[in-house]
Amino acid sequence: MNDGYHFLDIVFFAMVAAFLVLRLRSVLGKRTGTERPPEKWSPVEAPADNVVDLQSVRRSASEPPAETPLGQGLAAIRAADRGFDLDGFLGGAKAAFEMIVIAFAHGDKATLQPLLAPDVYRHFSEAIDARRQHGETLQTELVGIRSAELVEAGMDGRFAALTIKFVSEQVNALRDAKGEVVEGNPERVIDVIDLWTFRRDTRSPDPNWALTATHTPDP
């Protein structure tokens, strides 16, 4: 009788094992002979003390040379924020530039407020209110961002600060209460150059950057 139970136990565990094998194959997959070959990876050569500089591994093509003021400013930022990534920041800065330009033209304060430092938001809000009081509307079309170049970088106490030079193509026209164009040209694409400074408290858990200053260089 006991031998029968042992036999049933063996059959039961064999079924469980077969089920687990099938589950693993469905999750992990199986080779079919058509897989891409593994990508070749060349490890960064470590110095004699076997310590790899992770910051040098993470450097991108857009990184300024380490010995320049820009490179030194970025090094200071990374010392305070080990997770900082220049390419990721520039991508976010471009997205913020587009959102802010369009939101300002539409008078969308709700979109602007979380993206701007309090002083900058106050100036933007006052300009929007002045347009509304005069019955004016701003038509802005951001055709594209031609470039976003880092021109300043560094630490100000606990705050990281980066200034980006944006060169964009825009169509801008300010219309009065009657719909007449009083400034700009709705049929003309122009190049616009802006210098925007973003700051972030490196000791804050909030990863977001805020626009703290805007400047249009003289032609």
Coordinates of all heavy atoms in Angstrom, one line a residue, residues 54-115:
L54 N 33.3 56.1 -13.2 CA 32.0 56.0 -13.8 C 31.6 57.2 -14.5 O 30.8 57.2 -15.5 CB 30.9 55.6 -12.8 CG 31.1 54.2 -12.1 CD1 30.0 54.0 -11.1 CD2 31.1 53.1 -13.2
Q55 N 32.1 58.4 -14.1 CA 31.7 59.6 -14.7 C 32.3 59.7 -16.2 O 31.6 60.2 -17.1 CB 32.3 60.8 -13.9 CG 31.7 60.9 -12.5 CD 30.2 61.0 -12.5 OE1 29.6 61.6 -13.4 NE2 29.5 60.4 -11.6
S56 N 33.5 59.2 -16.4 CA 34.1 59.2 -17.7 C 33.3 58.2 -18.6 O 33.2 58.4 -19.8 CB 35.5 58.8 -17.7 OG 35.7 57.5 -17.2
V57 N 32.8 57.1 -18.0 CA 32.0 56.1 -18.8 C 30.8 56.8 -19.3 O 30.3 56.5 -20.4 CB 31.7 54.9 -17.9 CG1 30.8 54.0 -18.7 CG2 33.0 54.2 -17.5
R58 N 30.2 57.7 -18.5 CA 28.9 58.2 -18.9 C 29.0 59.5 -19.8 O 28.0 60.0 -20.2 CB 28.1 58.6 -17.6 CG 26.7 58.9 -17.8 CD 25.9 59.0 -16.5 NE 26.5 60.0 -15.5 CZ 26.7 59.7 -14.3 NH1 26.5 58.5 -13.8 NH2 27.2 60.6 -13.5
R59 N 30.2 59.9 -20.1 CA 30.4 61.1 -20.9 C 29.8 60.8 -22.3 O 30.0 59.8 -22.9 CB 31.9 61.5 -21.0 CG 32.4 62.1 -19.7 CD 33.9 62.3 -19.9 NE 34.2 63.2 -21.0 CZ 34.3 64.5 -20.9 NH1 34.0 65.1 -19.8 NH2 34.6 65.2 -22.0
S60 N 29.2 61.9 -22.9 CA 28.6 61.7 -24.2 C 29.3 62.6 -25.2 O 30.2 63.4 -24.8 CB 27.1 62.1 -24.1 OG 27.0 63.5 -23.8
A61 N 28.9 62.5 -26.4 CA 29.5 63.3 -27.5 C 29.3 64.8 -27.3 O 30.0 65.6 -27.8 CB 29.0 62.8 -28.9
S62 N 28.2 65.2 -26.6 CA 27.9 66.6 -26.4 C 28.6 67.2 -25.2 O 28.5 68.3 -24.9 CB 26.4 66.7 -26.2 OG 25.9 66.0 -25.0
E63 N 29.4 66.4 -24.5 CA 30.1 66.8 -23.3 C 31.3 67.7 -23.7 O 32.1 67.4 -24.5 CB 30.6 65.6 -22.6 CG 31.0 65.9 -21.1 CD 29.9 65.7 -20.2 OE1 28.8 65.3 -20.7 OE2 30.0 66.0 -19.0
P64 N 31.4 68.9 -23.0 CA 32.6 69.7 -23.2 C 33.8 69.1 -22.6 O 33.7 68.3 -21.7 CB 32.1 71.1 -22.5 CG 31.2 70.6 -21.5 CD 30.4 69.5 -22.1
P65 N 35.0 69.5 -23.1 CA 36.2 69.0 -22.5 C 36.3 69.3 -21.0 O 35.9 70.3 -20.5 CB 37.3 69.7 -23.3 CG 36.7 70.1 -24.6 CD 35.2 70.4 -24.2
A66 N 36.8 68.3 -20.3 CA 36.9 68.4 -18.8 C 37.7 69.6 -18.3 O 37.4 70.2 -17.2 CB 37.4 67.1 -18.2
E67 N 38.7 70.1 -19.1 CA 39.5 71.1 -18.6 C 39.0 72.5 -18.9 O 39.5 73.5 -18.4 CB 40.9 71.0 -19.3 CG 40.9 71.2 -20.8 CD 40.6 70.0 -21.6 OE1 40.2 69.0 -20.9 OE2 40.8 70.0 -22.8
T68 N 37.9 72.6 -19.6 CA 37.2 73.9 -19.9 C 36.4 74.3 -18.7 O 36.0 73.5 -17.9 CB 36.4 73.8 -21.1 OG1 35.3 72.9 -20.9 CG2 37.2 73.4 -22.3
P69 N 36.0 75.7 -18.6 CA 35.1 76.1 -17.6 C 33.8 75.4 -17.6 O 33.2 75.0 -16.5 CB 34.9 77.6 -17.9 CG 36.2 78.0 -18.6 CD 36.6 76.8 -19.4
L70 N 33.3 75.1 -18.8 CA 32.0 74.3 -18.8 C 32.2 72.9 -18.3 O 31.3 72.4 -17.5 CB 31.5 74.2 -20.3 CG 30.6 75.3 -20.8 CD1 30.2 75.0 -22.2 CD2 29.4 75.5 -19.9
G71 N 33.3 72.2 -18.6 CA 33.6 70.9 -18.1 C 33.7 70.9 -16.6 O 33.2 70.0 -16.0
Q72 N 34.4 71.9 -16.1 CA 34.6 72.0 -14.7 C 33.3 72.2 -13.9 O 33.0 71.7 -12.9 CB 35.6 73.1 -14.4 CG 37.0 72.7 -14.9 CD 38.0 73.9 -14.7 OE1 37.6 75.0 -14.3 NE2 39.2 73.7 -15.2
G73 N 32.4 73.1 -14.6 CA 31.1 73.3 -14.0 C 30.2 72.1 -13.9 O 29.6 71.8 -12.9
L74 N 30.3 71.3 -15.0 CA 29.5 70.1 -15.0 C 30.1 69.1 -14.0 O 29.3 68.3 -13.3 CB 29.6 69.4 -16.4 CG 28.7 70.1 -17.5 CD1 29.0 69.4 -18.8 CD2 27.3 70.0 -17.1
A75 N 31.4 69.1 -13.8 CA 32.0 68.2 -12.8 C 31.5 68.5 -11.4 O 31.2 67.7 -10.6 CB 33.5 68.2 -12.9
A76 N 31.4 69.9 -11.2 CA 30.9 70.3 -9.8 C 29.5 69.9 -9.6 O 29.1 69.5 -8.5 CB 31.1 71.8 -9.7
I77 N 28.7 70.0 -10.7 CA 27.3 69.6 -10.6 C 27.2 68.1 -10.3 O 26.4 67.6 -9.5 CB 26.5 69.9 -11.9 CG1 26.4 71.5 -12.0 CG2 25.1 69.3 -11.9 CD1 25.7 71.9 -13.3
R78 N 28.0 67.3 -11.0 CA 27.9 65.8 -10.8 C 28.4 65.4 -9.4 O 28.0 64.4 -8.9 CB 28.8 65.1 -11.9 CG 28.1 65.1 -13.3 CD 28.6 64.0 -14.1 NE 27.9 64.0 -15.4 CZ 28.4 64.6 -16.5 NH1 29.5 65.3 -16.5 NH2 27.7 64.6 -17.6
A79 N 29.3 66.2 -8.9 CA 29.8 65.9 -7.5 C 28.7 66.1 -6.5 O 28.6 65.4 -5.5 CB 31.0 66.9 -7.2
A80 N 27.7 67.0 -6.8 CA 26.6 67.2 -5.9 C 25.4 66.4 -6.3 O 24.6 66.0 -5.4 CB 26.2 68.7 -6.0
D81 N 25.3 66.0 -7.6 CA 24.2 65.1 -8.0 C 24.8 64.0 -8.9 O 25.0 64.3 -10.1 CB 23.2 66.0 -8.8 CG 22.0 65.2 -9.3 OD1 21.9 64.0 -9.0 OD2 21.2 65.8 -10.1
R82 N 25.0 62.9 -8.4 CA 25.7 61.8 -9.1 C 24.8 61.3 -10.2 O 25.3 60.6 -11.1 CB 26.0 60.7 -8.2 CG 26.9 61.0 -7.0 CD 28.3 61.4 -7.4 NE 29.0 60.2 -7.9 CZ 30.3 60.2 -8.3 NH1 31.0 61.4 -8.4 NH2 30.9 59.1 -8.8
G83 N 23.5 61.5 -10.2 CA 22.6 61.0 -11.3 C 22.5 62.0 -12.4 O 21.7 61.7 -13.4
F84 N 23.2 63.1 -12.4 CA 23.0 64.1 -13.5 C 23.5 63.5 -14.8 O 24.6 63.0 -14.9 CB 23.7 65.4 -13.2 CG 23.7 66.4 -14.3 CD1 22.6 67.2 -14.5 CD2 24.8 66.6 -15.1 CE1 22.5 68.1 -15.5 CE2 24.7 67.5 -16.2 CZ 23.6 68.3 -16.4
D85 N 22.7 63.8 -15.9 CA 23.0 63.3 -17.2 C 22.8 64.5 -18.2 O 21.7 65.0 -18.3 CB 22.1 62.1 -17.6 CG 22.4 61.7 -19.1 OD1 23.5 61.2 -19.4 OD2 21.5 61.9 -19.9
L86 N 23.8 64.9 -18.9 CA 23.7 66.1 -19.7 C 22.7 65.9 -20.9 O 21.9 66.8 -21.1 CB 25.1 66.5 -20.3 CG 25.1 67.7 -21.2 CD1 24.6 68.9 -20.5 CD2 26.6 67.9 -21.7
D87 N 22.8 64.8 -21.6 CA 21.9 64.5 -22.7 C 20.5 64.5 -22.2 O 19.6 65.0 -22.9 CB 22.3 63.2 -23.4 CG 23.6 63.3 -24.2 OD1 23.9 64.5 -24.5 OD2 24.2 62.3 -24.5
G88 N 20.2 63.9 -21.1 CA 18.9 63.8 -20.5 C 18.4 65.2 -20.2 O 17.2 65.6 -20.4
F89 N 19.3 66.0 -19.6 CA 18.9 67.4 -19.2 C 18.6 68.2 -20.5 O 17.6 68.9 -20.5 CB 20.0 68.1 -18.5 CG 19.8 69.5 -18.3 CD1 19.0 70.0 -17.2 CD2 20.3 70.5 -19.1 CE1 18.7 71.3 -17.0 CE2 20.1 71.8 -18.9 CZ 19.3 72.2 -17.9
L90 N 19.4 68.1 -21.5 CA 19.2 68.9 -22.7 C 17.8 68.5 -23.4 O 17.1 69.3 -23.9 CB 20.3 68.7 -23.7 CG 21.6 69.4 -23.3 CD1 22.8 69.0 -24.3 CD2 21.5 70.9 -23.2
G91 N 17.5 67.2 -23.4 CA 16.3 66.7 -23.9 C 15.1 67.3 -23.2 O 14.1 67.8 -23.7
G92 N 15.2 67.3 -21.8 CA 14.1 67.9 -21.0 C 14.0 69.4 -21.2 O 12.9 70.0 -21.2
A93 N 15.2 70.1 -21.4 CA 15.2 71.5 -21.6 C 14.5 71.9 -22.9 O 13.7 72.9 -22.9 CB 16.6 72.1 -21.6
K94 N 14.7 71.1 -23.9 CA 14.0 71.4 -25.2 C 12.5 71.2 -25.0 O 11.7 72.1 -25.5 CB 14.5 70.4 -26.3 CG 15.9 70.7 -26.7 CD 16.3 69.7 -27.8 CE 17.8 69.8 -28.2 NZ 18.2 68.8 -29.2
A95 N 12.1 70.2 -24.3 CA 10.6 70.0 -24.1 C 10.0 71.1 -23.3 O 8.9 71.6 -23.6 CB 10.4 68.6 -23.4
A96 N 10.8 71.5 -22.3 CA 10.3 72.6 -21.4 C 10.2 73.9 -22.2 O 9.3 74.7 -22.1 CB 11.2 72.8 -20.2
F97 N 11.2 74.2 -23.1 CA 11.2 75.4 -23.9 C 9.9 75.4 -24.8 O 9.3 76.5 -24.9 CB 12.4 75.4 -24.8 CG 12.6 76.6 -25.8 CD1 13.1 77.8 -25.3 CD2 12.1 76.5 -27.1 CE1 13.2 78.9 -26.1 CE2 12.2 77.6 -27.9 CZ 12.8 78.8 -27.4
E98 N 9.6 74.3 -25.4 CA 8.4 74.3 -26.3 C 7.2 74.5 -25.5 O 6.3 75.3 -25.8 CB 8.3 72.9 -27.0 CG 7.1 72.8 -27.9 CD 7.1 71.5 -28.7 OE1 8.1 70.8 -28.6 OE2 6.2 71.3 -29.5
M99 N 7.0 73.8 -24.3 CA 5.9 74.0 -23.5 C 5.7 75.4 -23.0 O 4.6 76.0 -23.0 CB 5.9 73.0 -22.3 CG 5.8 71.6 -22.6 SD 6.0 70.5 -21.2 CE 4.6 71.0 -20.2
I100 N 6.8 76.1 -22.6 CA 6.7 77.4 -22.0 C 6.4 78.4 -23.1 O 5.5 79.3 -22.8 CB 8.1 77.7 -21.3 CG1 8.2 76.9 -20.0 CG2 8.1 79.2 -20.9 CD1 9.6 76.9 -19.4
V101 N 7.0 78.3 -24.2 CA 6.7 79.3 -25.3 C 5.3 79.2 -25.7 O 4.6 80.3 -25.9 CB 7.7 79.0 -26.5 CG1 7.2 79.8 -27.7 CG2 9.1 79.4 -26.2
I102 N 4.7 78.0 -25.9 CA 3.4 77.9 -26.3 C 2.4 78.3 -25.2 O 1.4 79.0 -25.5 CB 3.1 76.4 -26.8 CG1 4.0 76.1 -28.0 CG2 1.6 76.3 -27.2 CD1 3.9 77.0 -29.2
A103 N 2.7 77.9 -24.0 CA 1.8 78.2 -22.9 C 1.7 79.7 -22.7 O 0.7 80.3 -22.4 CB 2.3 77.5 -21.6
F104 N 2.9 80.4 -22.8 CA 2.9 81.9 -22.7 C 2.0 82.5 -23.7 O 1.3 83.5 -23.4 CB 4.3 82.4 -22.7 CG 4.4 83.9 -22.7 CD1 4.1 84.6 -21.5 CD2 4.8 84.6 -23.8 CE1 4.2 86.0 -21.4 CE2 4.9 86.0 -23.7 CZ 4.6 86.7 -22.5
A105 N 2.1 82.1 -25.0 CA 1.3 82.6 -26.0 C -0.1 82.4 -25.8 O -1.0 83.3 -26.1 CB 1.8 82.0 -27.4
H106 N -0.5 81.3 -25.3 CA -1.9 81.0 -25.0 C -2.4 81.5 -23.7 O -3.6 81.4 -23.4 CB -2.1 79.4 -25.0 CG -1.9 78.8 -26.4 ND1 -1.9 77.5 -26.5 CD2 -1.8 79.4 -27.6 CE1 -1.7 77.2 -27.8 NE2 -1.7 78.4 -28.5
G107 N -1.5 82.1 -22.9 CA -1.9 82.6 -21.6 C -2.3 81.5 -20.6 O -3.1 81.7 -19.7
D108 N -1.6 80.4 -20.7 CA -1.9 79.2 -19.9 C -1.0 79.2 -18.7 O 0.0 78.6 -18.6 CB -1.6 77.9 -20.7 CG -2.0 76.6 -20.0 OD1 -2.4 76.7 -18.8 OD2 -1.9 75.6 -20.6
K109 N -1.5 79.9 -17.6 CA -0.7 80.0 -16.4 C -0.6 78.7 -15.6 O 0.4 78.5 -15.0 CB -1.4 81.1 -15.5 CG -1.4 82.5 -16.0 CD -2.0 83.4 -15.0 CE -2.1 84.8 -15.5 NZ -2.6 85.8 -14.5
A110 N -1.6 77.8 -15.7 CA -1.5 76.6 -15.0 C -0.4 75.7 -15.5 O 0.3 75.0 -14.7 CB -2.8 75.8 -15.2
T111 N -0.1 75.8 -16.8 CA 1.1 75.0 -17.3 C 2.4 75.7 -17.0 O 3.4 75.0 -16.7 CB 0.9 74.9 -18.9 OG1 -0.2 74.1 -19.2 CG2 2.2 74.2 -19.5
L112 N 2.4 77.0 -17.0 CA 3.6 77.7 -16.7 C 4.1 77.6 -15.3 O 5.3 77.5 -15.0 CB 3.4 79.2 -17.1 CG 3.3 79.6 -18.5 CD1 2.9 81.1 -18.7 CD2 4.6 79.3 -19.3
Q113 N 3.2 77.7 -14.3 CA 3.6 77.8 -12.9 C 4.6 76.8 -12.4 O 5.6 77.1 -11.8 CB 2.4 77.9 -12.0 CG 2.7 78.3 -10.6 CD 1.5 78.7 -9.8 OE1 0.4 78.3 -10.2 NE2 1.7 79.4 -8.7
P114 N 4.3 75.5 -12.7 CA 5.3 74.5 -12.1 C 6.6 74.4 -12.9 O 7.6 73.8 -12.4 CB 4.5 73.1 -12.3 CG 3.6 73.4 -13.4 CD 3.2 74.8 -13.3
L115 N 6.7 75.1 -14.0 CA 8.0 75.1 -14.8 C 8.8 76.3 -14.5 O 10.0 76.3 -14.9 CB 7.6 75.1 -16.3 CG 6.8 73.9 -16.8 CD1 6.4 74.1 -18.3 CD2 7.6 72.6 -16.6

